Amino acid sequence: MTDVVRLEVQGDIALITVSNPPVNALGHAVRAGLLQAFQDAETDSRVRAVILICQGSTFIAGADIKEFGKPPQAPSLPEVIDTIESCSKPSVAVIHGTALGGGLEVALGCHYRIARKDAKVGLPEVKLGLLPGAGGTQRLPRLAGVAKALDMIVSGQPISAAEALEHTIIDELFEGELAAAGIGFARRLLDDGRGPRRSGEQTRGLEGADNEALIRAKHAEVAKRMPGLFSPLRCVAAVEAAVKLPLAEGLKRERELFVECLNSPQRGALVHSFFAERQASKINDLPADVKPRAINSAAVIGGGTMGVGIALSFANAGLPVKLLEINEDALLRGLQRARDTYAASVKRGSLTEEAMEKRLSLVTGVTDYGALADADVVVEAVFEDMDVKRQVFEQLDAVCKPGAILASNTSSLDLNAIATFTKRPQDVVGLHFFSPANVMRLLEVVRGEKTSDDVLATAMAIGKQLKKVSVVVGVCDGFVGNRMVFQYGREAEFLLEEGATPQQVDAALRNFGMAMGPFAMRDLSGLDIGQAIRKRQRATLPAHLDFPTVSDKLCEAGMLGQKTGAGYYRYEPGNRMPLENPALAPMLEAASREKGIERRELEEQYIIERTIFALVNEGAKILEEGIAQRSSDIDVIYLNGYGFPAFRGGPMFYADSVGLDKVLARVRELHARCGDWWKPAPLLEKLAAEGRTFTEWQAGQ
């Protein structure tokens, strides 16, 4: 045994306790300790049953992330679980907190499982580009059935203890102390004369269903919903092995598929994404002793789609929030929008009526700024106009209590200028939510020149409280996400002038893995929003920088996207399915003719490089300017806010994987042909010359 696993014999029951804070991860010491403890319990003549519990707030919550990428050390997890399952004395896993990944596989290796009522279990390996490689794909279907096993393994989402009981993954729910519950259950087993019941020998989950049909259906679903992803289809193949093969052969097939996933480039990208998200919460120059301010109440200015979404984010976190609008009619529309949003969740079954009413009770509508006097944080979500922002922040400065955080949801305007509208610029910070704010995980926390350390720390704490992925960014036009997406969208529109269609560009980028194509995305958000930004930029950017004109032509014709029924695509009433817009073709011809461009056929790879490398080049400039702390922060922003495919790791990681020398060569070619929009970023040139990557630069500067 090891220091992190101990064995104690109480009468005829062995109590094995894992203590490896904070989450009892399955590092080498834990694996070795478990192996030795179960072997000792097996050979101890006093022992008739074995209980496995964990100290702290959780059962085994998965692999030890400190061992990611390191050579494996014996004993392997499959070896440990095989030893547990083969014991001749009944064993009971006592689950509390979460049993995830290898933790659930260990529990499945035990002969019985009980769980505290608030526990959760799951197999999230697919989110790291892997599959459960220690028997999870073989034992879970034998207990829960093929349908439930496929759902859990392919989605990676955990389920509640109650649901696990329903699907016979666990045997009993309990409340109270772990050891007492485990010993009580084991005592009943012995009194009833029940011995080992090995998951690998069960057949009940494989009976009474057309498993081959379930496999085919899931395979088709994954191919359609997750195109390009490597590990989900291997997850399906592993479960299929459980259906068709004896346990020993199924475990062998599972291991083969696991190794395939392990060696896939996607796995490296997904692991990068995993660590990048955790790194994003760390602020390099923030003193460790800075304490965030207490946030017990919030307010939101503006009852439009964004403002309501932000208000609901606070309500979802259990915080009372006041929603301010300019008059009663506008306020009633905002409050109805909030109710309608929750009602849609109730209709989908993701929220109960009771929960909806509880959350709505936290949202109070007001029309008087004086009602915000006691708010701990106020988020402005009004129209993107600096004069409008000035009016809002001057009033907030007048009524809000000392120490209140004054936050702007601006997506592109100068936060430092906004801060000057108050006498407390140190209390002003950007909280840039993404629409719909109550759904999207990303939150750009914009640090102004005068933003104090404790306000920045509080803004990050608010993001955590709202269950957002928060990333600190500096002040510039568009911050990180929108500054880069401007380059991406502009190049996509230039492609239309060269000869592409919106359908072709969108399809190429969806094939690359983007959640939406750029033109479907523009139609969704509204073309007038982009036009307002372009007008502002045209007034400030050098005259020699050419802008595409197709979007301008659509706006002039009143075609603003889904809101008007036509944009880059046409939409039938009540239907968001994009259809070809016949009015667009002559606009494309006119735009090309005005620029003196002869339209031509464009290859998919050219479309991808023209748009994605525009992101990369701008990202390199952002890094060099210090607007983003690290390249992985840019990746987190694009993975969580812009639909960039997780299996490519984000734009900066993707550039590293392509090779910065190859990226730079293409950027230089486009610079020579397309003008100064494509001027190579100095950092990209430097790293390519040195044979380094953005990731290496981030680590060592």
Side-chain angles (χ1 to χ4, degrees):
M1 280 179 291
T2 64
D3 292 340
V4 294
V5 180
R6 67 177 184 271
L7 171 65
E8 176 187 358
V9 179
Q10 297 184 9
D12 56 358
I13 294 177
L15 182 65
I16 296 174
T17 304
V18 176
S19 179
N20 185 30
V23 294
N24 295 311
L26 280 163
H28 173 256
V30 173
R31 297 195 305 275
L34 284 172
L35 182 68
Q36 187 65 58
F38 274 92
Q39 288 174 339
D40 289 350
E42 176 72 4
T43 58
D44 191 327
S45 59
R46 298 172 297 169
V47 173
R48 297 174 60 209
V50 183
I51 309 301
L52 173 62
I53 67 171
C54 295
Q55 284 191 339
S57 62
T58 185
F59 192 73
I60 298 166
D64 190 339
I65 61 174
K66 295 192 291 292
E67 294 185 0
F68 281 17
K70 295 181 179 179
Q73 286 183 283
S76 68
L77 187 57
E79 179 186 351
V80 173
I81 293 172
D82 181 64
T83 297
I84 293 172
E85 188 172 59
S86 63
C87 281
S88 64
K89 300 167 183 179
S91 57
V92 182
V94 182
I95 299 169
H96 75 296
T98 55
L100 299 176
L104 178 55
E105 289 178 302
V106 167
L108 293 174
C110 291
H111 304 141
Y112 301 89
R113 289 154 295 282
I114 64 173
R116 192 176 275 168
K117 289 183 176 181
D118 58 355
K120 292 185 177 181
V121 302
L123 294 170
E125 287 85 352
V126 70
K127 296 182 179 181
L128 294 179
L130 295 170
L131 55 79
T137 68
Q138 304 306 295
R139 293 185 176 92
L140 187 60
R142 287 172 160 84
L143 294 178
V146 169
K148 191 61 186 176
L150 283 170
D151 179 57
M152 290 179 63
I153 294 168
V154 172
S155 73
Q157 294 299 318
I159 64 172
S160 66
E163 190 174 352
L165 177 66
E166 178 186 347
H167 290 278
T168 65
I169 299 167
I170 61 174
D171 300 289
E172 187 173 285
L173 301 180
F174 72 89
E175 292 182 286
E177 202 268 329
L178 302 176
I183 291 171
F185 187 86
R187 181 63 57 201
R188 278 183 277 133
L189 290 178
L190 295 176
D191 291 345
D192 295 342
R194 287 186 284 170
R197 187 202 56 188
R198 299 178 177 88
S199 300
E201 297 174 356
Q202 302 300 302
T203 60
R204 66 178 185 270
L206 304 179
E207 298 168 352
D210 187 344
N211 291 325
E212 292 191 12
L214 291 169
I215 296 287
R216 286 195 304 271
K218 181 60 73 170
H219 191 284
E221 177 192 330
V222 168
K224 181 179 180 180
R225 287 182 49 245
M226 306 176 184
L229 281 174
F230 187 84
S231 63
L233 287 176
R234 274 75 192 171
C235 291
V236 177
V239 174
E240 183 177 22
V243 172
K244 295 183 174 180
L245 301 174
L247 180 66
E249 292 180 38
L251 290 170
K252 181 180 178 182
R253 177 61 177 150
E254 177 192 77
R255 201 66 191 172
E256 292 169 354
L257 292 165
F258 177 84
V259 171
E260 286 182 20
C261 293
L262 196 64
N263 294 331
S264 164
Q266 291 189 9
R267 183 244 177 187
L270 289 162
V271 169
H272 165 78
S273 304
F274 176 85
F275 283 109
E277 191 171 309
R278 281 147 184 78
Q279 185 74 5
S281 63
K282 300 174 182 176
I283 305 171
N284 291 336
D285 61 347
L286 191 68
D289 59 352
V290 171
K291 289 185 171 58
R293 301 179 186 179
I295 300 295
N296 297 309
S297 64
V300 177
I301 313 295
T305 300
M306 179 60 81
V308 167
I310 296 170
L312 296 187
S313 296
F314 283 107
N316 292 345
L319 282 170
V321 56
K322 291 177 180 175
L323 181 67
L324 183 141
E325 259 295 357
I326 56 174
N327 56 49
E328 285 293 337
D329 287 344
L331 179 60
L332 289 174
R333 288 194 296 272
L335 293 174
Q336 187 60 49
R337 187 175 286 117
R339 178 169 288 277
D340 290 345
T341 302
Y342 278 142
S345 297
V346 172
K347 186 175 180 180
R348 287 193 302 269
S350 58
L351 191 69
T352 65
E353 287 271 3
E354 181 183 7
M356 177 180 78
E357 295 300 335
K358 183 176 180 181
R359 294 180 189 187
L360 284 172
S361 71
L362 293 169
V363 182
T364 303
V366 298
T367 56
D368 178 9
Y369 273 86
L372 312 184
D374 292 331
D376 295 317
V377 58
V378 183
V379 183
E380 162 273 310
V382 300
F383 188 69
E384 281 287 88
D385 179 271
M386 195 59 93
D387 287 337
V388 177
K389 306 286 188 188
R390 176 192 294 273
Q391 295 171 29
V392 169
F393 275 86
E394 286 178 349
Q395 292 189 74
L396 291 178
D397 192 40
V399 304
C400 288
K401 67 182 180 182
I405 292 177
L406 309 183
S408 175
N409 181 56
T410 180
S411 60
S412 59
L413 297 180
D414 186 343
L415 185 78
N416 294 326
I418 291 172
T420 65
F421 303 151
T422 76
K423 298 181 182 67
R424 43 174 126 178
Q426 73 280 358
D427 291 337
V428 177
V429 69
L431 291 179
H432 179 210
F433 291 79
F434 286 71
S435 187
N438 54 308
V439 175
M440 294 292 285
R441 297 180 70 220
L442 180 63
L443 179 66
E444 279 186 321
V445 175
V446 188
R447 183 182 199 176
E449 288 178 357
K450 300 290 181 65
T451 304
S452 69
D453 286 346
D454 66 327
V455 167
L456 184 63
T458 307
M460 293 297 283
I462 289 170
K464 185 175 182 180
Q465 194 170 3
L466 302 187
K467 294 183 169 56
K468 302 294 184 184
V469 177
S470 303
V471 184
V472 173
V473 299
V475 176
C476 65
D477 192 347
F479 313 125
V480 170
N482 283 347
R483 174 173 162 179
M484 289 171 64
V485 87
F486 168 74
Q487 310 295 328
Y488 170 83
R490 184 201 64 242
E491 291 303 313
E493 195 173 334
F494 274 139
L495 289 168
L496 298 186
E497 296 181 350
E498 290 189 13
T501 64
Q503 293 91 332
Q504 183 187 7
V505 175
D506 282 358
L509 287 159
R510 286 197 309 272
N511 290 341
F512 176 77
M514 299 296 289
M516 290 182 74
F519 297 112
M521 183 171 68
R522 284 186 174 194
D523 273 0
L524 178 63
S525 61
L527 272 61
D528 51 330
I529 295 174
Q531 186 185 45
I533 294 172
R534 283 196 307 279
K535 283 182 178 178
R536 180 167 50 79
Q537 290 175 328
R538 279 173 172 147
T540 58
L541 289 170
H544 71 278
L545 290 176
D546 185 29
F547 280 83
T549 60
V550 176
S551 186
D552 295 328
K553 293 179 187 299
L554 286 166
C555 289
E556 288 166 8
M559 290 185 274
L560 306 180
Q562 289 189 19
K563 67 175 74 174
T564 60
Y568 286 102
Y569 298 96
R570 179 176 60 85
Y571 303 88
E572 296 288 354
N575 192 335
R576 293 191 174 190
M577 174 71 69
L579 305 170
E580 183 178 352
N581 181 0
L584 181 65
M587 293 183 184
L588 297 183
E589 295 285 349
S592 301
R593 192 166 52 248
E594 289 165 7
K595 296 281 186 73
I597 298 171
E598 184 177 346
R599 297 180 67 80
R600 61 190 176 90
E601 289 290 325
L602 303 181
E603 294 182 356
E604 184 168 290
Q605 187 61 28
Y606 174 72
I607 292 171
I608 291 169
E609 291 178 352
R610 183 77 183 260
T611 50
I612 300 300
F613 288 178
L615 286 176
V616 172
N617 194 46
E618 195 68 20
K621 295 175 185 178
I622 283 169
L623 279 175
E624 197 158 31
E625 294 168 19
I627 300 299
Q629 290 189 108
R630 49 186 82 89
S631 64
S632 62
D633 282 1
I634 296 175
D635 289 336
V636 169
I637 287 169
Y638 265 79
L639 292 169
N640 289 281
Y642 294 87
F644 201 91
F647 65 85
R648 298 194 188 275
M652 311 312 284
F653 183 88
Y654 173 70
D656 285 347
S657 68
V658 170
L660 297 191
D661 56 339
K662 296 182 177 65
V663 174
L664 178 61
R666 187 55 130 174
V667 169
R668 283 174 169 163
E669 177 190 326
L670 291 165
H671 183 215
R673 188 163 62 80
C674 302
D676 277 354
W677 283 121
W678 281 95
K679 185 176 182 180
L683 180 60
L684 176 59
E685 292 182 310
K686 170 183 168 64
L687 295 177
E690 295 173 352
R692 298 168 68 202
T693 64
F694 290 119
T695 304
E696 289 169 338
W697 178 82
Q698 170 183 313
Q701 300 289 306

